Amino acid sequence: MSNYVVYHLHSDLSNATTIMDSVTKYKMYIAKAKECGMKALAFSEHGNCFEWYHKKCDIEKAGMKYIHACEFYVTKTIEEKIRDNYHCVLIAKNYDGVKELNKLISNSFNRDDYHYYYAPRIGFDELYATSDNIIITTACLGGVLNKADNDIKTEFLKFLVKNKHRCYLEIQHHNCADQAVYNKILYTIHQKTEIPLIAGTDTHCLNDTHIEGRSILQKA
């Protein structure tokens, strides 16, 4: 655990593209990560990479490595107005990956071609067309393998198996029954397919005070 990296992380900047999701400023997370002696940090805001350059500067100033990431909304089709929006975390492996990720995010905000519908979205075809410069995790309970129908799950699993050198099944330590069941499902898939596991957090709050603040904000 001395080299644990938080890569699935939401600040209040996620509020711009989803429900009121956090009250925590990104600088607060960086300060806490530095206090914990972490060596790297990523933010995976919902559907955006807002302030990524300033995050990078502050993370590097704190003596850590900056990792470029985003939690995308993936839809079955952008041609129809379907609000499925499966979650999927994409992480840039290098600078070419950063540019590729940013282009995907820009496309997802396009309202003229129906990419944007309630939230910025990409299609599965765009996800499947990503290069080896992009690392992919299955994200949270809102991800494909937990929410989608069997046909979508089957196609997604085929993609993960074909690209297991850069794709990961994300297990999370959250203390809730649904997550515990889902972790076991992912572990079983890992045993059958050898798609690697990765431990994530899906963090939205820094501490108990921020948990209460997030709850109040969402009710408001």
Side-chain angles (χ1 to χ4, degrees), residues 31-49:
K32 185 64 176 180
K34 181 180 179 181
E35 179 187 323
C36 292
M38 292 184 176
K39 299 176 181 178
L41 187 64
F43 286 88
S44 59
E45 309 291 4
H46 279 299
N48 75 69
C49 59

Side-chain angles (χ1 to χ4, degrees), residues 73-85 104 107-127:
Y73 295 109
V74 187
T75 183
K76 182 178 180 180
T77 173
I78 63 169
E79 280 73 34
E80 298 179 46
K81 292 182 177 180
I82 300 172
R83 199 176 178 183
D84 43 9
N85 294 357
L104 276 174
N107 290 343
S108 74
F109 276 90
N110 192 329
R111 295 172 184 265
D112 294 332
D113 66 1
Y114 303 110
H115 265 86
Y116 193 101
Y117 181 62
Y118 283 93
R121 311 177 303 165
I122 61 172
F124 277 100
D125 56 337
E126 293 170 283
L127 177 66

Side-chain angles (χ1 to χ4, degrees), residues 1-218:
M1 293 301 291
S2 62
N3 196 30
Y4 180 73
V5 174
V6 173
Y7 64 87
H8 192 156
L9 178 63
H10 300 280
S11 74
D12 65 338
L13 292 172
S14 280
N15 297 352
T17 44
T18 184
I19 60 171
M20 298 295 101
D21 222 15
S22 178
V23 298
T24 308
K25 304 295 183 183
Y26 73 83
K27 289 179 182 286
M28 297 176 178
Y29 284 126
I30 295 171
K32 185 64 176 180
K34 181 180 179 181
E35 179 187 323
C36 292
M38 292 184 176
K39 299 176 181 178
L41 187 64
F43 286 88
S44 59
E45 309 291 4
H46 279 299
N48 75 69
C49 59
F50 296 159
E51 294 279 11
W52 76 265
Y53 176 73
H54 294 130
K55 290 172 182 172
K56 178 179 185 295
C57 292
D58 287 351
I59 287 170
E60 291 177 348
K61 187 177 179 181
M64 296 177 286
K65 178 181 179 180
Y66 168 77
I67 300 172
H68 196 66
C70 175
E71 185 168 17
F72 280 81
Y73 295 109
V74 187
T75 183
K76 182 178 180 180
T77 173
I78 63 169
E79 280 73 34
E80 298 179 46
K81 292 182 177 180
I82 300 172
R83 199 176 178 183
D84 43 9
N85 294 357
Y86 305 112
H87 295 197
C88 195
V89 173
L90 274 61
I91 302 169
K93 188 183 290 187
N94 48 43
Y95 184 57
D96 285 337
V98 170
K99 292 188 288 185
E100 184 175 347
L101 205 63
N102 287 357
K103 186 175 181 180
L104 276 174
I105 293 171
S106 293
N107 290 343
S108 74
F109 276 90
N110 192 329
R111 295 172 184 265
D112 294 332
D113 66 1
Y114 303 110
H115 265 86
Y116 193 101
Y117 181 62
Y118 283 93
R121 311 177 303 165
I122 61 172
F124 277 100
D125 56 337
E126 293 170 283
L127 177 66
Y128 297 158
T130 54
S131 75
D132 283 354
N133 297 313
I134 300 294
I135 295 168
I136 296 170
T137 88
T138 55
C140 54
L141 291 171
V144 179
L145 296 180
N146 190 56
K147 279 183 60 180
D149 61 39
N150 287 334
D151 289 341
I152 293 176
K153 286 180 181 178
T154 298
E155 288 302 310
F156 186 57
L157 270 173
K158 288 180 181 177
F159 169 75
L160 296 178
V161 170
K162 185 178 179 181
N163 294 273
K164 65 177 69 174
H165 60 287
R166 65 184 182 98
C167 293
Y168 295 84
L169 303 170
E170 182 172 333
I171 56 173
Q172 299 179 353
H173 74 286
H174 303 299
N175 188 21
C176 65
D178 289 346
Q179 186 66 59
V181 170
Y182 188 43
N183 284 346
K184 291 177 181 178
I185 292 171
L186 293 176
Y187 181 64
T188 299
I189 294 172
H190 160 70
Q191 288 180 308
K192 292 179 179 179
T193 64
E194 296 184 345
I195 301 167
L197 298 169
I198 189 169
T201 54
D202 201 2
T203 298
H204 293 76
C205 308
L206 185 66
N207 51 41
D208 288 342
T209 301
H210 288 204
I211 291 173
E212 183 179 1
R214 178 178 184 249
S215 178
I216 292 169
L217 181 65
Q218 289 176 335

